Amino acid sequence: GIVMALKIIIDTDPGIDDAMAIFYAGLSDELNLIAMTSVFGNVTAEIATRNALVLGDILKQDIPVAQGAKVPLMQKPNPVSDYVHGAEGFGDIPAQTTARRAVEMPAHEYLCQLINENAGDVILCPVGPLTNIALALRHDPFIVSKVKSIVIMGGGLHSGGNVTDFAEANIWNDPHAADEVFAADWDVTVIGLDVTQQVVCPHSDFAALTKTVPVIGSFLSQATDFYIKFYKEAIGIDGCQMHDPITVVACHRPDLFKYEYHPLEVCLHSGRIGETRISADSQRRPAKIAVGVDVAAVKEIFFDTIKTGY
Ligand code: BDR
Ligand code: CA
């Protein structure tokens, strides 16, 4: 039958797993990646913008990109994660140039414009620090009822953190923004470390792609070679965690996850800063928090889509 592709906007700090997420969204028949917005995080906002444009070039799709926040709302910026994602964002792959330009509008305004133009139809999928999303909420609070839903890669309920014992990287990089996003009255799904740490792929999975889809395959094979070295050294696993791509999978296959429903807040002070936890504030709408995942199914849908879509 006819598949009505879901419109999705990815807010991103590319980033190796961000690249996987963007390729997946660009290649899935069930998703229509209408735009990307960039944010500081794994790399600077400028590099994130260029990388998002370059990923569009690789996809051969003219996906608009708007540049977003260079720094968090309130706190001093953390250093970029070059030891995880490489100096230019994609491991050892040298910086690539692009002929395309970012749209002439800050990311948060562009997000509000697109959400209003496509009222009821857009899934907002942030896979970086939540600064642009908080700025969009401040700019136009009515977007809460105009997005179809927001599906966030960040935090964790039972998992603990990956930067500190308590904080996951995207929340850690702008905890104040994340708390504003969790406080807003909208349909939030959280894909956090509880599930993303369960989905680990060895290098051979990416190397295998070079045969069927050489351009994307060699890109991901080279980038994940670097990324997996980090995982080996940092936590002793022989593969990389698929944080951002499985978050995009959750946008159209929520059935592949199990959830708990709680209002969420972010710890904004002291030693546990950046921790996502259940809020006692009954005014906050419960978020749908993934706590279980069908690991084999999300891996299969990811690699099948990359192999057959390009
Ligand atoms: C998140 O942090 C970034 O390094 C990844 O791209 C992902 O979005 C995982 O904690
Ligand atoms: Ca990311």
Side-chain angles (χ1 to χ4, degrees):
I2 296 165
V3 184
M4 283 294 284
L6 285 165
K7 288 180 186 167
I8 174 176
I9 303 173
I10 299 185
D11 182 77
T12 175
D13 58 341
I16 295 166
D17 60 323
D18 300 76
M20 296 179 199
I22 290 160
F23 288 152
Y24 178 82
L27 296 174
S28 170
D29 287 338
E30 291 170 41
L31 297 170
N32 176 8
L33 178 56
I34 62 167
M36 295 184 267
T37 47
S38 67
V39 65
F40 77 94
N42 294 327
V43 290
T44 65
E46 289 85 354
I47 294 180
T49 305
R50 182 204 64 202
N51 284 355
L53 290 165
V54 164
L55 294 169
D57 293 344
I58 294 173
L59 283 166
K60 301 199 187 73
Q61 296 177 23
D62 191 14
I63 305 158
V65 177
Q67 181 160 304
K70 297 180 181 177
V71 292
L73 293 182
M74 292 173 74
Q75 75 180 11
K76 196 163 126 311
N78 297 316
V80 294
S81 315
D82 53 351
Y83 57 98
V84 187
H85 294 273
E88 301 290 344
F90 300 138
D92 286 334
I93 299 176
Q96 277 166 260
T97 53
T98 174
R100 295 193 304 129
R101 291 273 159 273
V103 303
E104 298 279 326
M105 204 185 288
H108 68 278
E109 285 179 29
Y110 191 56
L111 284 171
C112 292
Q113 179 181 302
L114 286 177
I115 290 165
N116 279 297
E117 282 172 3
N118 298 278
D121 287 340
V122 177
I123 298 179
L124 185 54
C125 183
V127 294
L130 291 160
T131 320
N132 292 335
I133 314 304
L135 290 171
L137 284 170
R138 290 176 179 189
H139 184 73
D140 180 358
F142 294 106
I143 62 170
V144 294
S145 58
K146 298 204 177 127
V147 298
K148 191 176 176 68
S149 64
I150 168 168
V151 181
I152 297 167
M153 192 285 126
L157 204 54
H158 310 291
S159 56
N162 60 358
V163 179
T164 68
D165 285 348
F166 310 102
E168 179 279 330
N170 290 337
I171 309 297
W172 169 254
N173 280 331
D174 196 343
H176 301 87
D179 194 59
E180 289 186 22
V181 171
F182 292 139
D185 182 20
W186 52 358
D187 179 355
V188 176
T189 296
V190 175
I191 304 296
L193 298 178
D194 296 289
V195 289
T196 66
Q197 288 183 329
Q198 292 184 45
V199 188
V200 176
C201 292
H203 189 256
S204 54
D205 284 353
F206 302 97
L209 290 172
T210 56
K211 291 183 218 112
T212 33
V213 277
V215 175
I216 286 193
S218 56
F219 181 95
L220 288 181
S221 181
Q222 192 177 343
T224 55
D225 190 46
F226 185 97
Y227 197 38
I228 290 170
K229 278 181 190 143
F230 160 77
Y231 277 100
K232 239 180 228 162
E233 275 160 34
I235 55 171
I237 58 171
D238 191 14
C240 58
Q241 296 169 347
M242 304 288 280
H243 308 286
D244 295 352
I246 77 159
T247 303
V248 178
V249 171
C251 291
H252 72 111
R253 291 301 306 272
D255 58 301
L256 298 178
F257 298 79
K258 284 206 175 76
Y259 305 92
E260 287 183 29
Y261 298 81
H262 306 283
L264 282 181
E265 65 184 17
V266 178
C267 178
L268 298 178
H269 46 78
S270 80
R272 296 172 89 105
I273 187 162
E275 178 182 46
T276 49
R277 60 192 185 198
I278 297 172
S279 173
D281 181 354
S282 60
Q283 299 299 302
R284 290 198 179 195
R285 173 151 148 191
K288 183 173 169 183
I289 308 155
V291 293
V293 55
D294 183 337
V295 175
V298 296
K299 284 187 185 179
E300 188 182 339
I301 196 171
F302 174 77
F303 286 104
D304 277 355
T305 300
I306 300 292
K307 265 187 270 188
T308 55
Y310 192 64

